[in-house]
Short mmCIF file of all heavy atoms in Angstrom, two decimals:
data_model
loop_
_atom_site.label_atom_id
_atom_site.label_comp_id
_atom_site.label_asym_id
_atom_site.label_seq_id
_atom_site.Cartn_x
_atom_site.Cartn_y
_atom_site.Cartn_z
N PHE U 665 54.46 46.95 66.12
CA PHE U 665 55.77 46.68 66.72
C PHE U 665 55.59 46.10 68.11
O PHE U 665 54.65 46.46 68.84
CB PHE U 665 56.59 47.96 66.83
CG PHE U 665 57.04 48.56 65.53
CD1 PHE U 665 56.55 48.12 64.31
CD2 PHE U 665 57.96 49.60 65.52
CE1 PHE U 665 56.97 48.68 63.11
CE2 PHE U 665 58.39 50.17 64.35
CZ PHE U 665 57.88 49.73 63.14
N THR U 666 56.53 45.23 68.50
CA THR U 666 56.52 44.66 69.83
C THR U 666 57.93 44.74 70.42
O THR U 666 58.88 44.26 69.80
CB THR U 666 56.06 43.21 69.82
OG1 THR U 666 54.75 43.12 69.24
CG2 THR U 666 56.01 42.65 71.24
N ILE U 667 58.02 45.33 71.60
CA ILE U 667 59.31 45.42 72.28
C ILE U 667 59.37 44.36 73.38
O ILE U 667 58.36 44.06 74.02
CB ILE U 667 59.53 46.84 72.87
CG1 ILE U 667 60.98 47.01 73.32
CG2 ILE U 667 58.55 47.14 73.99
CD1 ILE U 667 61.35 48.45 73.66
N SER U 668 60.55 43.81 73.57
CA SER U 668 60.75 42.82 74.62
C SER U 668 62.17 42.95 75.16
O SER U 668 63.05 43.48 74.48
CB SER U 668 60.51 41.40 74.08
OG SER U 668 61.39 41.11 73.02
N ARG U 669 62.37 42.46 76.36
CA ARG U 669 63.70 42.51 76.94
C ARG U 669 63.95 41.27 77.77
O ARG U 669 63.01 40.63 78.26
CB ARG U 669 63.91 43.77 77.78
CG ARG U 669 63.09 43.85 79.06
CD ARG U 669 63.29 45.18 79.76
NE ARG U 669 64.57 45.26 80.46
CZ ARG U 669 65.03 46.34 81.07
NH1 ARG U 669 64.33 47.47 81.02
NH2 ARG U 669 66.19 46.32 81.71
N ASP U 670 65.22 40.94 77.90
CA ASP U 670 65.66 39.82 78.72
C ASP U 670 66.62 40.39 79.76
O ASP U 670 67.76 40.75 79.43
CB ASP U 670 66.36 38.78 77.84
CG ASP U 670 66.76 37.53 78.61
OD1 ASP U 670 66.97 37.64 79.84
OD2 ASP U 670 66.88 36.47 77.98
N ASN U 671 66.16 40.50 80.99
CA ASN U 671 66.98 41.11 82.04
C ASN U 671 68.19 40.25 82.41
O ASN U 671 69.18 40.77 82.91
CB ASN U 671 66.13 41.37 83.28
CG ASN U 671 65.09 42.44 83.04
OD1 ASN U 671 65.29 43.36 82.26
ND2 ASN U 671 63.95 42.31 83.71
N THR U 672 68.11 38.96 82.18
CA THR U 672 69.24 38.09 82.50
C THR U 672 70.39 38.29 81.52
O THR U 672 71.55 38.05 81.85
CB THR U 672 68.83 36.62 82.51
OG1 THR U 672 68.43 36.22 81.20
CG2 THR U 672 67.66 36.39 83.47
N LYS U 673 70.07 38.71 80.32
CA LYS U 673 71.09 38.91 79.28
C LYS U 673 71.31 40.38 78.97
O LYS U 673 72.18 40.72 78.17
CB LYS U 673 70.69 38.18 78.00
CG LYS U 673 70.56 36.67 78.16
CD LYS U 673 70.16 36.02 76.85
CE LYS U 673 70.04 34.52 77.01
NZ LYS U 673 69.61 33.85 75.75
N ASN U 674 70.52 41.26 79.59
CA ASN U 674 70.60 42.70 79.31
C ASN U 674 70.43 43.00 77.82
O ASN U 674 71.22 43.72 77.22
CB ASN U 674 71.93 43.28 79.81
CG ASN U 674 72.01 43.31 81.32
OD1 ASN U 674 71.00 43.48 82.00
ND2 ASN U 674 73.20 43.12 81.86
N THR U 675 69.40 42.41 77.26
CA THR U 675 69.11 42.64 75.85
C THR U 675 67.69 43.19 75.69
O THR U 675 66.81 42.94 76.51
CB THR U 675 69.23 41.37 75.01
OG1 THR U 675 68.34 40.37 75.53
CG2 THR U 675 70.65 40.82 75.05
N VAL U 676 67.51 43.93 74.62
CA VAL U 676 66.18 44.44 74.25
C VAL U 676 66.01 44.23 72.76
O VAL U 676 66.96 44.41 71.98
CB VAL U 676 66.01 45.91 74.64
CG1 VAL U 676 67.02 46.82 73.94
CG2 VAL U 676 64.58 46.38 74.38
N SER U 677 64.82 43.82 72.37
CA SER U 677 64.55 43.54 70.97
C SER U 677 63.30 44.28 70.52
O SER U 677 62.43 44.62 71.33
CB SER U 677 64.35 42.04 70.75
OG SER U 677 65.52 41.32 71.07
N LEU U 678 63.23 44.51 69.23
CA LEU U 678 62.06 45.17 68.64
C LEU U 678 61.64 44.37 67.43
O LEU U 678 62.37 44.32 66.43
CB LEU U 678 62.40 46.61 68.25
CG LEU U 678 61.22 47.45 67.74
CD1 LEU U 678 60.24 47.73 68.89
CD2 LEU U 678 61.72 48.76 67.13
N GLN U 679 60.48 43.76 67.52
CA GLN U 679 59.90 43.04 66.38
C GLN U 679 59.00 44.01 65.64
O GLN U 679 58.04 44.53 66.21
CB GLN U 679 59.11 41.83 66.85
CG GLN U 679 58.45 41.05 65.73
CD GLN U 679 59.44 40.40 64.80
OE1 GLN U 679 60.44 39.84 65.23
NE2 GLN U 679 59.16 40.47 63.50
N MET U 680 59.31 44.24 64.37
CA MET U 680 58.57 45.21 63.57
C MET U 680 57.85 44.48 62.45
O MET U 680 58.49 43.89 61.57
CB MET U 680 59.53 46.26 63.00
CG MET U 680 60.37 46.96 64.06
SD MET U 680 61.36 48.32 63.43
CE MET U 680 62.56 47.42 62.43
N ASN U 681 56.54 44.49 62.49
CA ASN U 681 55.70 43.85 61.49
C ASN U 681 54.90 44.88 60.71
O ASN U 681 54.79 46.03 61.13
CB ASN U 681 54.76 42.85 62.16
CG ASN U 681 55.48 41.73 62.87
OD1 ASN U 681 56.58 41.32 62.47
ND2 ASN U 681 54.88 41.24 63.94
N SER U 682 54.35 44.45 59.61
CA SER U 682 53.53 45.34 58.76
C SER U 682 54.23 46.66 58.50
O SER U 682 53.66 47.75 58.65
CB SER U 682 52.16 45.59 59.43
OG SER U 682 51.48 44.37 59.66
N LEU U 683 55.47 46.57 58.11
CA LEU U 683 56.28 47.77 57.94
C LEU U 683 55.77 48.63 56.79
O LEU U 683 55.28 48.12 55.77
CB LEU U 683 57.74 47.39 57.73
CG LEU U 683 58.46 46.98 59.02
CD1 LEU U 683 59.72 46.20 58.72
CD2 LEU U 683 58.78 48.22 59.85
N GLU U 684 55.92 49.93 56.99
CA GLU U 684 55.49 50.92 56.01
C GLU U 684 56.70 51.74 55.57
O GLU U 684 57.72 51.80 56.27
CB GLU U 684 54.43 51.84 56.64
CG GLU U 684 53.23 51.10 57.19
CD GLU U 684 52.35 51.98 58.07
OE1 GLU U 684 52.72 53.14 58.33
OE2 GLU U 684 51.27 51.49 58.50
N VAL U 685 56.55 52.39 54.43
CA VAL U 685 57.66 53.20 53.91
C VAL U 685 58.07 54.26 54.94
O VAL U 685 59.26 54.55 55.10
CB VAL U 685 57.25 53.87 52.58
CG1 VAL U 685 58.30 54.88 52.14
CG2 VAL U 685 57.03 52.82 51.50
N ASP U 686 57.10 54.79 55.67
CA ASP U 686 57.40 55.82 56.68
C ASP U 686 58.17 55.29 57.88
O ASP U 686 58.59 56.08 58.72
CB ASP U 686 56.10 56.48 57.16
CG ASP U 686 55.52 57.43 56.12
OD1 ASP U 686 56.24 57.76 55.15
OD2 ASP U 686 54.36 57.84 56.28
N ASP U 687 58.34 54.00 57.98
CA ASP U 687 59.15 53.42 59.06
C ASP U 687 60.64 53.45 58.72
O ASP U 687 61.46 53.11 59.57
CB ASP U 687 58.73 51.97 59.32
CG ASP U 687 57.31 51.87 59.89
OD1 ASP U 687 56.97 52.68 60.77
OD2 ASP U 687 56.57 50.97 59.43
N THR U 688 60.96 53.84 57.52
CA THR U 688 62.37 53.94 57.13
C THR U 688 63.09 54.96 57.99
O THR U 688 62.68 56.12 58.09
CB THR U 688 62.49 54.34 55.65
OG1 THR U 688 61.93 53.31 54.84
CG2 THR U 688 63.94 54.56 55.26
N ALA U 689 64.17 54.52 58.64
CA ALA U 689 64.90 55.39 59.55
C ALA U 689 66.14 54.67 60.06
O ALA U 689 66.29 53.46 59.86
CB ALA U 689 64.01 55.77 60.74
N VAL U 690 66.97 55.43 60.73
CA VAL U 690 68.04 54.82 61.53
C VAL U 690 67.45 54.58 62.92
O VAL U 690 66.90 55.50 63.53
CB VAL U 690 69.28 55.73 61.62
CG1 VAL U 690 70.33 55.09 62.52
CG2 VAL U 690 69.85 55.98 60.23
N TYR U 691 67.56 53.37 63.39
CA TYR U 691 67.00 52.98 64.67
C TYR U 691 68.12 52.91 65.71
O TYR U 691 69.15 52.27 65.48
CB TYR U 691 66.29 51.63 64.55
CG TYR U 691 64.97 51.74 63.84
CD1 TYR U 691 64.91 51.87 62.45
CD2 TYR U 691 63.77 51.74 64.54
CE1 TYR U 691 63.70 52.01 61.79
CE2 TYR U 691 62.54 51.86 63.89
CZ TYR U 691 62.52 51.99 62.52
OH TYR U 691 61.31 52.12 61.86
N TYR U 692 67.88 53.56 66.85
CA TYR U 692 68.87 53.65 67.91
C TYR U 692 68.39 52.95 69.16
O TYR U 692 67.28 53.20 69.65
CB TYR U 692 69.16 55.11 68.25
CG TYR U 692 69.79 55.90 67.14
CD1 TYR U 692 69.02 56.60 66.22
CD2 TYR U 692 71.19 55.95 67.01
CE1 TYR U 692 69.61 57.33 65.20
CE2 TYR U 692 71.77 56.68 65.98
CZ TYR U 692 70.98 57.36 65.08
OH TYR U 692 71.56 58.07 64.08
N CYS U 693 69.22 52.10 69.69
CA CYS U 693 68.97 51.49 70.99
C CYS U 693 69.26 52.52 72.06
O CYS U 693 70.20 53.33 71.93
CB CYS U 693 69.86 50.27 71.15
SG CYS U 693 69.60 49.36 72.69
#
């Protein structure tokens, strides 16, 4: 996983690669 943010837009993103069954969840910002 890679997290990134843009302070000018007040956004945060999470790029999730090579996902596994155990990654199944509700994701909260």
Side-chain angles (χ1 to χ4, degrees):
F665 292 11
T666 303
I667 192 169
S668 59
R669 67 185 284 175
D670 184 334
N671 292 329
T672 65
K673 298 180 180 178
N674 291 327
T675 58
V676 61
S677 298
L678 185 69
Q679 178 66 42
M680 305 187 291
N681 298 329
S682 302
L683 283 161
E684 304 167 355
V685 171
D686 285 348
D687 294 317
T688 296
V690 177
Y691 285 77
Y692 295 91
C693 183

